[in-house]
């Protein structure tokens, strides 16, 4: 796990060393162990890395450079099948000087070019400077576990693992992107490719980009989950394949030269991962959990039950329920507004784990792949969910997951903002293209596909990456092994959400022999804090002051509408928890970024 950064100047104008050092320093928390920069000022290119040493602690220094000096590679992430790839390369006579997974990327690229990405099983953002082609490649893993941002003004490209890594190389920080904020109010996060800053975009998951002097950018999608086609399975055959794939995905994610463990909530996802980990290690698995005194939010008893079942070395702490003092720090590490309150407890459990390990395995991805959220059961309980005409279904599901409706946003905006955003449609811009790709799937899988592309990569994978990296630990996600994702979308929706509304229908049945019925079928709890209650009571004054004193809130929104939401929430005339939480996150982010 690392942070990468660099630039590509089409005029071959060098970036000064102070700016490069600033980019590196901005990512120090992602890689406190080492730094390396491959800078060719005469060509106007540099790629750099801040390293969190996980594999080959002594030999894994980046960048890796070819013997002739013509190719240089940096990566943020891990290639989990690097052992097998290295053995294959050595059998073909290729010299490997280290046990680093990044050297494997270099040697594969030398032989196969950018097509080598398909051979990698991992989470990664990669930069390759190829002087033979006088080109820069940027590539991102299949589903976007690892982030990668770009700022391209037509003359100079800047890239980095976090937005804050770009600012030292710019004369001024870009302004707020109004279209991105418009989409934020729909989704509760800024969906890719937008960011909250003008002119800064994501490299999309499963995509590579090639930059050359001509000014054009070649973009190619090298993996597409929509390529899968649903198949009929028997439960027994599905279970055998599911458990074998998840077991192997877990096994290869235990490759590390540093202590590792797992986040354990006692839910079906994390319990299954920990149960599989226990099969492959000699020492007890180190597991980490935080609990709360309020039983509505406390999962620690379930985590302890799972830890005991698998003989784990379990560490649990009762955390303070009110974590709002951490919210500014969370948003600083996110670089963008996110209205999801669960980032705060994720930071807290990451801090706990970081005292003991440098790597954790998590259960992220299981809910989106196998229909684990209540919203799926609620939506598909509609009698017309499976019979609506396709356009009506798409709009209905989109409306069900939207935070502010188009009408609510229009009422919230000041007139001049409303005019600027007239014609900007979040459904058409951010959701419709994914629905179009997924129309060959059944309705349940269409909904899951949209959430895989938007919610998972835009919010739910940002959480373990940024909160783990804030305290310099790496989070690994076995459910997002490419083989598991493809199996999930070869499986019909009814295997995930039964006609009776049973979520993770076959998954839970398959996991029972490993984790037991109590853990498999326990009621799902959300990993969050009761922020709505606080906004109604003890923290209402803080919330009102945060919103009414915010430059962003004042610039964008009608004060009377914001005040009405505050009053109605406080007095119990309506529950505006999610809306007010999103506005507060926007205000706190803007203060950190601009004020």
């Amino acid at each position: 796990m690392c942070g990468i950064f660099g630039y590509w100047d089409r005029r071959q104008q060098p970036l000064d060393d102070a700016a490069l050092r600033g980019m590196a320093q901005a990512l120090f928390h992602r890689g406190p162990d080492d730094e390396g920069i491959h800078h060719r000022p005469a060509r106007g290119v540099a790629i750099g890395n801040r390293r969190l040493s996980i594999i080959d602690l002594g030999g894994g220094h980046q960048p890796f450079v070819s013997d002739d000096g013509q190719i240089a590679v940096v990566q943020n992430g891990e290639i989990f099948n690097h052992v097998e790839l290295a053995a294959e390369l050595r059998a073909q006579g290729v010299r490997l000087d280290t046990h680093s997974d990044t050297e494997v990327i270099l040697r594969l690229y030398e032989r196969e070019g950018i097509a080598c990405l398909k051979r990698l099983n991992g989470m990664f953002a990669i930069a390759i400077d190829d002087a033979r082609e006088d080109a820069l490649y940027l590539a991102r893993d299949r589903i976007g576990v690892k982030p990668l941002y770009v700022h391209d003004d037509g003359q100079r490209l800047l890239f980095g693992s976090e937005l804050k890594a770009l600012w030292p190389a710019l004369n001024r920080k870009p302004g707020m992107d109004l279209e991105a904020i418009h989409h934020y109010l729909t989704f509760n996060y800024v969906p890719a490719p937008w960011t909250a800053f003008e002119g800064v975009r994501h490299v999309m998951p499963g995509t590579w980009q090639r930059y050359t002097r001509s000014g054009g950018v070649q973009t190619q999608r090298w993996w597409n989950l929509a390529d899968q086609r649903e198949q009929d399975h028997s439960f027994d055959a599905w279970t055998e394949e599911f458990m074998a794939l998840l077991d192997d995905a877990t096994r290869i994610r235990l490759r590390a030269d540093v202590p590792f463990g797992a986040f354990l909530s006692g839910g079906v996802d994390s319990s299954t991962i920990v149960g599989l980990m226990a099969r492959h290690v000699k020492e007890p698995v180190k597991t980490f959990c935080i609990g709360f005194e309020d039983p509505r939010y406390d999962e620690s008893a379930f985590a302890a039950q799972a830890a005991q079942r698998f003989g784990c070395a379990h560490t649990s702490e009762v955390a303070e329920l009110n974590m709002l003092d951490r919210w500014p720090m969370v948003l600083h590490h996110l670089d963008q507004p996110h209205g999801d309150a669960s980032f705060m407890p994720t930071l807290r459990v990451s801090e706990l784990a970081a005292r003991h390990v440098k790597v954790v395995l998590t259960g992220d991805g299981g809910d989106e792949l196998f229909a684990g959220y209540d919203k799926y059961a609620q939506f598909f309980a509609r009698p017309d969910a499976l019979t609506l005409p396709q356009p009506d279904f798409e709009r209905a599901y989109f409306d069900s997951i939207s935070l502010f409706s188009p009408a609510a946003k229009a009422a919230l905006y000041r007139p001049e903002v409303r005019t600027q955003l007239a014609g900007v449609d979040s459904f058409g811009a951010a959701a419709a293209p994914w629905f179009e790709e997924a129309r060959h799937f059944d309705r349940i899988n269409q909904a899951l596909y949209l959430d895989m592309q938007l919610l998972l990569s835009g919010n739910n994978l940002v959480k373990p990456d940024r909160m783990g990296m804030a305290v310099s630990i790496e989070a690994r996600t076995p459910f997002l092994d490419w083989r598991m994702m493809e199996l999930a979308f070869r499986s019909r929706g009814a295997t995930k959400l039964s006609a009776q509304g049973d979520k993770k229908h076959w998954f839970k049945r398959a996991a029972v022999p490993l984790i037991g019925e109590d853990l498999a079928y326990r009621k799902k709890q959300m990993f969050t804090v009761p922020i709505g209650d606080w906004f109604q009571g003890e923290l209402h004054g803080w919330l009102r002051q945060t919103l009414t004193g915010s430059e962003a809130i004042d610039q964008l929104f009608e004060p009377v509408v914001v005040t009405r939401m505050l009053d109605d929430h406080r007095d119990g005339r309506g529950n505006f928890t999610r809306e007010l939480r999103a506005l507060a996150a926007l205000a706190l982010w803007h203060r950190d970024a601009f004020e």
Side-chain angles (χ1 to χ4, degrees):
M1 182 73 73
C2 308
I4 64 173
F5 59 93
Y7 79 99
W8 170 267
D9 195 288
R10 295 181 178 89
R11 305 156 300 173
Q12 299 187 323
Q13 297 295 314
L15 185 66
D16 65 76
D17 288 337
L20 278 173
R21 288 195 299 272
M23 296 176 81
Q25 186 60 32
L27 297 173
F28 182 86
H29 54 285
R30 294 188 75 93
D33 298 329
D34 192 14
E35 177 181 309
I37 300 176
H38 173 84
H39 192 193
R40 295 297 179 263
R43 291 180 49 237
V45 58
I47 62 173
N49 170 272
R50 285 292 324 183
R51 184 177 179 222
L52 180 67
S53 301
I54 301 293
I55 293 173
D56 195 354
L57 306 188
H61 173 78
Q62 298 185 42
F64 274 84
V65 181
S66 60
D67 296 344
D68 62 5
Q70 296 295 293
I71 303 169
V73 178
V74 292
Q75 73 143 332
N76 162 32
E78 303 288 354
I79 309 304
F80 299 118
N81 65 334
H82 74 278
V83 174
E84 291 79 10
L85 292 172
E88 179 184 326
L89 287 167
R90 288 191 173 100
Q92 295 169 358
V94 177
R95 190 191 83 249
L96 292 168
D97 297 324
T98 73
H99 298 289
S100 168
D101 56 340
T102 308
E103 186 182 13
V104 168
I105 298 172
L106 170 66
R107 300 308 178 192
L108 282 174
Y109 178 80
E110 287 181 312
R111 295 169 71 83
E112 303 175 18
I114 200 64
C116 73
L117 294 173
K118 292 184 178 181
R119 309 255 268 127
L120 307 180
N121 186 343
M123 53 181 194
F124 52 83
I126 297 170
I128 301 172
D129 173 33
D130 190 336
R132 304 170 309 175
E133 301 179 10
D134 199 18
L136 176 75
Y137 286 92
L138 299 178
R140 198 164 171 215
D141 66 59
R142 290 170 175 83
I143 205 64
V145 182
K146 295 291 101 189
L148 188 56
Y149 301 96
V150 295
H151 176 278
D152 188 358
D153 63 8
Q155 296 181 330
R156 175 178 287 166
L157 165 83
L158 303 170
F159 69 89
S161 293
E162 295 184 12
L163 289 164
K164 62 176 62 70
L166 308 179
W167 310 151
L170 292 172
N171 293 327
R172 65 174 185 85
K173 185 182 292 186
M176 183 168 57
D177 187 315
L178 277 186
E179 182 179 357
I181 301 305
H182 183 77
H183 298 323
Y184 166 71
L185 294 175
T186 297
F187 295 105
N188 208 32
Y189 55 89
V190 179
W194 295 272
T195 78
F197 295 92
E198 292 178 325
V200 184
R201 294 292 182 261
H202 293 259
V203 175
M204 293 298 285
T207 298
W208 58 256
Q209 296 180 342
R210 181 176 183 265
Y211 291 84
T212 60
R213 302 293 174 193
S214 65
V217 181
Q218 180 185 1
T219 300
Q220 183 167 317
R221 196 161 170 192
W222 61 270
W223 183 82
N224 189 344
L225 185 57
D227 289 342
Q228 303 308 304
R229 294 297 184 269
E230 293 157 340
Q231 303 170 2
D232 290 321
H233 304 79
S234 70
F235 172 72
D236 289 342
W238 186 90
T239 295
E240 182 178 356
E241 184 175 6
F242 171 80
M243 292 304 297
L245 282 179
L246 191 57
D247 181 74
D248 193 60
T250 301
R251 177 187 65 83
I252 63 175
R253 281 163 177 78
L254 299 176
R255 291 170 168 169
D257 297 327
V258 294
F260 58 81
F263 291 158
L264 179 60
S265 68
V268 63
D269 297 337
S270 64
S271 298
T272 301
I273 296 302
V274 169
L276 294 173
M277 290 174 71
R279 292 179 173 179
H280 297 289
V281 296
K282 296 178 181 179
E283 300 295 325
V285 177
K286 297 181 176 69
T287 53
F288 304 95
C289 170
I290 60 169
F292 301 109
E293 292 184 356
D294 188 330
R296 295 176 298 168
Y297 303 93
D298 182 42
E299 297 183 281
S300 60
F302 296 108
Q305 180 183 344
Q308 183 177 18
R309 181 180 182 94
F310 299 117
C312 300
H314 188 55
T315 302
S316 179
E317 287 186 356
V318 176
E320 65 284 5
L321 191 57
N322 187 345
M323 299 182 178
L324 285 194
D325 60 332
R326 295 169 179 266
W327 209 356
M329 176 186 176
V330 164
L331 289 161
H332 174 75
H333 281 284
L334 294 174
D335 288 323
Q336 299 197 84
H338 282 258
D340 184 345
S342 66
F343 280 85
M344 288 177 272
T346 301
L347 175 62
R348 181 67 175 78
V349 73
S350 297
E351 291 171 336
L352 173 63
R355 298 178 207 155
H356 306 273
V357 298
K358 290 183 77 169
V359 175
V360 290
L361 273 63
T362 80
D364 290 291
D367 287 319
E368 293 83 1
L369 287 171
F370 299 106
Y373 296 128
D374 287 340
K375 67 177 182 178
Y376 301 128
Q378 291 164 2
F379 180 82
F380 286 100
R382 290 178 48 151
D384 61 353
L386 302 180
T387 59
L388 280 168
Q390 180 67 26
D392 295 340
F393 161 74
E394 293 175 5
R395 176 61 74 166
Y397 182 71
F398 172 81
D399 289 344
S400 77
I401 64 172
S402 295
L403 178 57
F404 286 90
S405 69
K409 286 192 286 189
L412 180 62
Y413 291 143
R414 287 185 178 272
E416 60 273 20
V417 177
R418 192 180 310 126
T419 299
Q420 284 181 267
L421 291 170
V424 178
D425 172 36
S426 293
F427 174 81
W434 299 119
F435 272 127
E436 185 174 353
E437 288 189 355
R439 284 177 182 165
H440 60 286
F441 292 134
D442 63 39
R443 290 282 171 88
I444 293 170
N445 276 333
Q446 287 181 44
L448 297 179
Y449 187 82
L450 184 74
D451 285 346
M452 287 290 291
Q453 303 297 344
L454 290 176
L455 175 65
L456 184 67
S457 63
N459 188 81
N460 292 355
L461 288 178
V462 178
K463 192 186 311 176
D465 177 78
R466 302 302 195 285
M467 297 302 95
M469 286 283 85
V471 293
S472 305
I473 62 169
E474 172 177 293
R476 299 177 173 182
T477 52
F479 280 106
L480 297 177
D481 188 292
W482 67 268
R483 299 166 296 172
M484 180 59 63
M485 291 191 287
E486 291 188 355
L487 170 66
F489 280 86
R490 292 196 306 272
S491 305
R492 299 196 185 280
T495 69
K496 306 169 185 185
L497 182 67
S498 74
Q500 293 72 41
D502 181 32
K503 305 182 296 294
K504 294 181 180 168
H505 182 44
W506 280 14
F507 171 5
K508 290 187 293 189
R509 289 173 61 193
V512 163
L514 177 65
I515 68 175
E517 290 200 3
D518 288 348
L519 291 173
Y521 288 99
R522 55 159 286 211
K523 181 175 174 57
K524 183 177 180 62
Q525 286 180 253
M526 298 303 290
F527 190 47
T528 188
V529 292
I531 202 166
D533 295 348
W534 302 337
F535 284 174
Q536 191 174 28
E538 62 191 274
L539 291 176
H540 181 80
W542 172 88
L543 174 66
R544 188 175 291 266
Q545 182 178 8
T546 296
L547 296 185
T548 58
S550 166
E551 180 182 310
I553 301 301
D554 181 63
Q555 173 187 339
L556 296 173
F557 307 130
E558 287 281 13
V560 65
V561 179
V562 175
T563 298
R564 187 186 308 126
M565 277 195 290
L566 285 163
D567 292 344
D568 287 353
H569 187 81
R570 177 196 59 197
D571 299 336
R573 289 189 294 270
N575 182 354
F576 292 97
T577 297
R578 297 180 70 236
E579 293 87 346
L580 291 170
R581 192 175 63 197
L583 295 185
L586 176 62
L588 293 171
W589 162 77
H590 190 272
R591 180 187 302 167
D592 179 72
F594 295 110
E595 298 175 27

